[in-house]
Amino acid sequence: MQTGWVVLVKNNKIEQAGSMMFKLPAGTEVIELKGMTLLPGLIEGHSHLFLHPYNETSWDDQVLKESRAERTARAVNHAKATLMAGFTTVRDLGTEGAMYDDVGLKKTIEKGVIPGPRMIVATRAIVAKGTYGPRSPSPDVELPQGAEEVAGLEELSRATRSQIGHGADVIKVYADYRYGPNGEAMPTFSQTELELIVDIATSSGRKVVAHASTAEGMKRAINAGISTIEHGDGGTEELFKIMKEKKVALCLTLAAGDAIQQYRGWKKGIDPEPQSITNKKKSFQLALKSGVTICMGGDVGVFTHGENAREMELMVDYGMKPVDVLKSSTSINADVFGYANKIGRIKKDLFADLIAVDGDPSIDIKNIRKIKLVMKDGVVYKKE
């Protein structure tokens, strides 16, 4: 953190940043930010712009009963709410049944038709046949799925290449899911299958991320060479140690679990803590202690878009220092996602994605909600 810095923006890039050791060109517009903290635009590491909170409409009903036109209209609103909350970039990890509409949304934002964050998109995501949802109560009826189903190496290869061809910036795979005999989470792909996805994606210059909540699912994904583990509930000391060694980052999505328990009736602060929340805290603290790289991503869509800061606040509640949470939300996410040469820092030649908040969020993380300025790509979208 620095005091008295000046940042010079020209067109959509940061031209200078630091103490006032440079001359301002004639006609420069000056924005004073007294008593505020200037930060790089925040980066949401795990969002679903095509979903809205499950206490409004269940996930099954969103996938099966809402038209893609409705879902896209909602996504437009979600994109704006996200940007206005100071999140200038999102890694959107699956349209959940809305096909490749995230690619269209991303391009619409880039053209300036609608306001929204930069999008790193995963399109449909990949699941093993018979493991995902929605599930039909009748074995004779096959329902449309929330991700692309594959069975065997050939289909896996085709789906990965197809998603890349349709505009995916990143490939998302479900390394495990709740399809066990009693609905418990079990691994869905072999390590060989996961390695094939990674090989194809890596050849194209793309990363692979894995939904993984079981220890075995995590282990296979880590050994296969994926770049981030999403959720990681079953993480152990040993697994986190391997992740650190192999430079695999962890995106814990604390806010989603917290929201779902509240939807199920948990009165936070009144009722005893559900076991899943206690377990998540332990796993988060274990990850912190291990030194594994931690990304900021809340699985927003499960809860309200624009409320992305809930994840940051929970990271602090569960034991992370506010300044480290700010790093996870900016430079660390940029590094892990492969965008360090574009975003995530206030640095010469990077895109002018800047936000300003009242007070100092490195002392009190709640200040991150007090957004007074939002600039993305050199354009001011909010100024109070």
Side-chain angles (χ1 to χ4, degrees):
M1 303 296 273
Q2 311 284 339
T3 51
W5 264 32
V6 172
V7 179
L8 182 64
V9 172
K10 185 175 181 186
N11 299 325
N12 68 334
K13 295 277 182 77
I14 295 169
E15 198 161 84
Q16 296 284 352
S19 304
M20 190 62 190
M21 305 291 283
F22 48 88
K23 197 171 178 224
L24 293 182
T28 301
E29 182 193 349
V30 177
I31 300 173
E32 296 274 357
L33 300 170
K34 284 175 182 162
M36 297 184 203
T37 305
L38 186 68
L39 299 135
L42 302 172
I43 303 169
E44 169 60 66
H46 190 134
S47 84
H48 295 280
L49 289 174
F50 286 83
L51 290 177
H52 58 103
Y54 298 173
N55 64 334
E56 294 173 4
T57 309
S58 71
W59 180 86
D60 276 23
D61 282 354
Q62 290 185 49
V63 175
L64 293 174
K65 296 179 181 177
E66 290 179 355
S67 68
R68 279 172 55 195
E70 178 186 339
R71 296 188 69 192
T72 300
R74 287 180 181 274
V76 168
N77 289 338
H78 300 158
K80 184 178 180 181
T82 303
L83 181 63
M84 294 310 168
F87 290 80
T88 54
T89 301
V90 297
R91 188 176 62 152
D92 205 66
L93 295 181
T95 59
E96 306 289 347
M99 298 299 284
Y100 308 102
D101 291 347
D102 53 350
V103 178
L105 184 69
K106 173 188 169 177
K107 287 181 177 170
T108 308
I109 291 168
E110 285 172 354
K111 288 176 181 176
V113 178
I114 57 167
R118 295 174 187 282
M119 291 180 68
I120 302 165
V121 299
T123 71
R124 298 175 68 187
I126 296 171
V127 290
K129 185 149 182 70
T131 64
Y132 204 52
R135 293 205 178 102
S136 167
S138 164
D140 303 317
V141 176
E142 287 206 14
L143 295 174
Q145 293 290 289
E148 187 167 3
E149 286 191 297
V150 297
L153 293 170
E154 196 177 319
E155 287 185 14
L156 230 170
S157 171
R158 190 184 299 117
T160 306
R161 294 181 195 281
S162 168
Q163 292 192 14
I164 289 168
H166 281 93
D169 301 308
V170 62
I171 297 297
K172 182 187 182 184
V173 61
Y174 283 75
D176 53 30
Y177 208 67
R178 301 182 294 274
Y179 79 114
N182 303 302
E184 67 272 49
M186 302 292 280
T188 53
F189 289 109
S190 68
Q191 195 173 309
T192 305
E193 289 173 317
L194 293 170
E195 282 169 359
L196 175 65
I197 299 171
V198 172
D199 280 351
I200 294 167
T202 305
S203 292
S204 77
R206 288 166 176 81
K207 293 174 185 281
V208 179
V209 311
H211 165 114
S213 61
T214 65
E216 182 58 29
M218 288 174 72
K219 186 176 154 194
R220 291 181 193 181
I222 294 159
N223 289 335
I226 59 93
S227 69
T228 65
I229 292 282
E230 307 301 309
H231 315 302
D233 298 36
T236 61
E237 206 170 329
E238 184 195 357
L239 278 172
F240 290 143
K241 190 179 166 211
I242 299 167
M243 284 176 74
K244 190 182 175 186
E245 283 167 10
K246 290 183 179 271
K247 294 186 168 53
V248 177
L250 179 66
C251 190
L252 283 132
T253 66
L254 309 174
D258 182 86
I260 285 167
Q261 286 302 334
Q262 290 186 64
Y263 300 157
R264 288 175 181 165
W266 173 44
K267 293 183 181 67
K268 193 173 178 178
I270 300 166
D271 295 343
E273 201 171 81
Q275 193 58 47
S276 67
I277 300 288
T278 307
N279 294 346
K280 196 76 171 174
K281 277 186 182 173
K282 282 183 186 160
S283 129
F284 183 72
Q285 282 149 11
L286 205 58
L288 267 182
K289 195 174 150 197
S290 75
V292 67
T293 300
I294 293 176
C295 294
M296 196 295 291
D299 209 354
V300 59
V302 174
F303 58 99
T304 308
H305 294 281
E307 285 285 307
N308 309 62
R310 277 170 71 166
E311 182 74 12
M312 299 171 77
E313 289 163 353
L314 284 172
M315 288 165 89
V316 172
D317 286 350
Y318 290 12
M320 201 169 182
K321 291 178 185 155
V323 73
D324 291 332
V325 173
L326 292 171
K327 285 179 188 171
S328 282
S329 316
T330 54
S331 54
I332 287 172
N333 271 359
D335 292 348
V336 170
F337 305 162
Y339 286 73
N341 63 338
K342 294 178 180 174
I343 55 172
R345 291 173 174 83
I346 297 181
K347 188 176 161 188
K348 184 174 161 53
D349 295 331
L350 266 56
F351 287 125
D353 289 5
L354 302 165
I355 66 164
V357 299
D358 258 343
D360 186 348
S362 72
I363 294 167
D364 182 356
I365 199 68
K366 286 187 169 55
N367 287 327
I368 205 68
R369 291 179 179 267
K370 299 175 183 174
I371 302 280
K372 297 295 174 188
L373 175 82
V374 176
M375 174 187 280
K376 189 199 91 179
D377 213 29
V379 176
V380 175
Y381 286 89
K382 182 175 184 172
K383 186 177 167 189
E384 287 183 8

